[in-house]
Amino acid sequence: MTQIRCAVLGLGRLGYWHAENLATKIRGAQLLSVIDPMEGRAEQVARELGIDGYSTNPDDAFNNPDIDAVVIVTPTSTHAEMIKKAAASGKHIFVEKPITQTLAEADEVIEAIRKNNIVCQVGFMRRFDPAYYEAKKRIEKGDIGQPIYFKGLSRDGNVPPASFIKHSGGIYLDVAIHDYDIARYLMNADVVSVQATGNVLQHSFLSEYGDVDQALTTLQFSNGAAGDVETMRIAPYGYDIRGEIVGTEGVLTIGSMRQHNIQLYTFAGSTYDIIPDFPSKFKDAYLLEMVHFIESLTNGTKPDCTAEDGKAALEIAIAATDSFKTGKLVQINTVHV
Ligand SMILES: NC(=O)c1ccc[n+]([C@@H]2O[C@H](COP(=O)([O-])OP(=O)(O)OC[C@H]3O[C@@H](n4cnc5c(N)ncnc54)[C@H](O)[C@@H]3O)[C@@H](O)[C@H]2O)c1
């Protein structure tokens, strides 16, 4: 089988995991190069993963004719530029969420992707998480009848540093967007209006960036269903991601807080370990989404989470941000599903 030769751009909190998966776990993929402008970082990762190629300049990947695909895990504010350069140089693209920071940028990158006939997958890994994946199959099978309400909950106790927050686009674009995407996917309907609120309850530095550590979004879907998304960066117990779909004939709950399938009993009481962070929770999902990307390129099939899906989720996140800022309900006019 032909190997898909890849470069990973950005080797921070998440980039390293994608690089490790491509270098060591994915049949049909070959990691040729890792790139990060931070002095010494790419060299260190290349050494750890046993590969020869590393650089501090992303252009080295775009200009390298041996590279078929780039995996973009750089700060969100750089995604638009990276995608446009990748598309112009004929590289297929896996890009982390959110696809871009603005809708104008999303339109530009979609145009560049179409014009250059490039495959692009956006990193909404919940679609590949075994529990969410199974939920989608059960809903499609009709196990809960017609979905009429979506509930999404994303709580993280670890707030990222200011250097990340500054380029993240804020809590709706950075965190709640995962729930907006999975809501569209599981409900098989677009969101037509949102109303969002948010507050800074603990991490006061977020105010400097117009961001919040606790947020709530209510959703109205095109088919009349409704939903809500709770998002926070101040969970005092771990990393907690759950979902619930109410249907006309049943309810489906997704996810748990449990890290290991064990329970400890002592005279002090009974406890279990709680998932501490996103790499622990979504290790399998990050691997499976990348397997899907490589298989799509190998087989010439369309990936499950396209640039258009990336734009649709971004539209909801931008509408939620506007609603938070204005206190008003915001309509979304584009219907994709
Ligand atoms: N899907 C998920 O669950 C998930 C989780 C975390 C982050 N993300 C996304 O991944 C992206 C990166 O997030 P992170 O948490 O890894 O950030 P990070 O700040 O930890 O790392 C970003 C890395 O990119 C490097 N970088 C900066 N500019 C660059 C450039 N022009 N070219 C190449 N490298 C560059 C930085 O030196 C840094 O090492 C963001 O878009 C974020 O939204 C997604």
Side-chain angles (χ1 to χ4, degrees):
M1 184 173 65
T2 321
Q3 298 276 95
I4 305 294
R5 297 160 303 174
C6 304
V8 174
L9 317 184
L11 301 164
R13 289 188 312 160
L14 184 56
Y16 183 87
W17 298 106
H18 286 319
E20 190 193 36
N21 283 339
L22 284 163
T24 62
K25 297 189 184 132
I26 302 182
R27 263 184 56 206
Q30 187 188 3
L31 182 61
L32 279 198
S33 177
V34 286
I35 295 174
D36 196 295
M38 196 193 296
E39 209 47 54
R41 177 63 180 155
E43 185 178 0
Q44 177 205 355
V45 172
R47 202 175 329 109
E48 278 175 36
L49 298 178
I51 62 164
D52 295 331
Y54 61 85
S55 166
T56 52
N57 184 355
D59 288 344
D60 289 343
F62 305 134
N63 295 333
N64 183 345
D66 291 337
I67 288 174
D68 303 309
V70 293
V71 174
I72 300 171
V73 207
T74 54
T76 295
S77 55
T78 67
H79 289 185
E81 185 197 347
M82 296 283 163
I83 297 171
K84 281 190 272 185
K85 282 187 170 179
S89 57
K91 312 296 181 200
H92 298 298
I93 299 162
F94 178 99
V95 60
E96 266 309 326
K97 46 52 63 177
I99 183 166
T100 55
Q101 252 181 352
T102 68
L103 288 174
E105 286 172 345
D107 286 334
E108 282 170 27
V109 303
I110 287 172
E111 173 61 22
I113 289 163
R114 282 184 190 152
K115 199 171 100 196
N116 292 285
N117 206 14
I118 295 299
V119 171
C120 175
Q121 182 178 328
V122 178
F124 285 122
M125 77 295 178
R126 285 190 201 178
R127 293 182 181 216
F128 300 88
D129 172 80
Y132 281 97
Y133 184 81
E134 187 61 26
K136 174 75 174 168
K137 281 203 302 195
R138 297 294 180 98
I139 293 166
E140 280 179 346
K141 229 172 98 209
D143 283 0
I144 60 165
Q146 178 65 31
I148 51 176
Y149 198 86
F150 171 87
K151 238 181 185 341
L153 175 158
S154 297
R155 296 183 192 150
D156 190 359
N158 299 314
V159 70
S163 57
F164 175 91
I165 294 289
K166 200 163 34 171
H167 301 286
S168 72
I171 199 165
Y172 306 96
L173 259 79
D174 185 45
V175 189
I177 198 164
H178 281 293
D179 288 287
Y180 304 148
D181 175 68
I182 207 73
R184 289 183 67 237
Y185 188 59
L186 295 178
M187 302 296 282
N188 197 29
D190 269 307
V191 171
V192 292
S193 71
V194 301
Q195 177 103 47
T197 55
N199 291 291
V200 178
L201 296 183
Q202 193 173 80
H203 302 292
S204 51
F205 80 94
L206 292 172
S207 309
E208 287 172 42
Y209 305 100
D211 207 350
V212 297
D213 51 23
Q214 179 272 326
L216 181 66
T217 318
T218 57
L219 313 170
Q220 289 295 324
F221 293 90
S222 50
N223 60 2
D228 67 81
V229 170
E230 180 205 314
T231 319
M232 64 163 67
R233 296 196 191 266
I234 46 177
Y237 56 92
Y239 186 68
D240 188 4
I241 307 291
R242 285 175 281 151
E244 186 174 340
I245 315 285
V246 183
T248 49
E249 289 168 38
V251 62
L252 221 161
T253 67
I254 308 159
S256 89
M257 284 180 268
R258 208 175 270 262
Q259 186 177 25
H260 306 106
N261 194 14
I262 60 169
Q263 186 97 11
L264 172 69
Y265 301 93
T266 68
F267 277 115
S270 149
T271 56
Y272 61 81
D273 300 336
I274 294 179
I275 294 166
D277 49 31
F278 69 83
S280 315
K281 169 80 183 171
F282 288 116
K283 198 161 146 273
D284 293 342
Y286 294 131
L287 175 60
L288 291 167
E289 68 176 351
M290 203 57 73
V291 168
H292 180 76
F293 176 60
I294 297 298
E295 282 178 358
S296 301
L297 294 181
T298 308
N299 303 333
T301 49
K302 194 172 148 194
D304 221 7
C305 192
T306 60
E308 286 77 9
D309 290 316
K311 182 188 164 190
L314 179 69
E315 253 176 315
I316 305 170
I318 287 176
T321 309
D322 285 352
S323 174
F324 156 66
K325 286 182 182 160
T326 60
K328 294 189 175 139
L329 182 127
V330 176
Q331 308 280 351
I332 301 170
N333 295 321
T334 329
V335 174
H336 304 266
V337 173

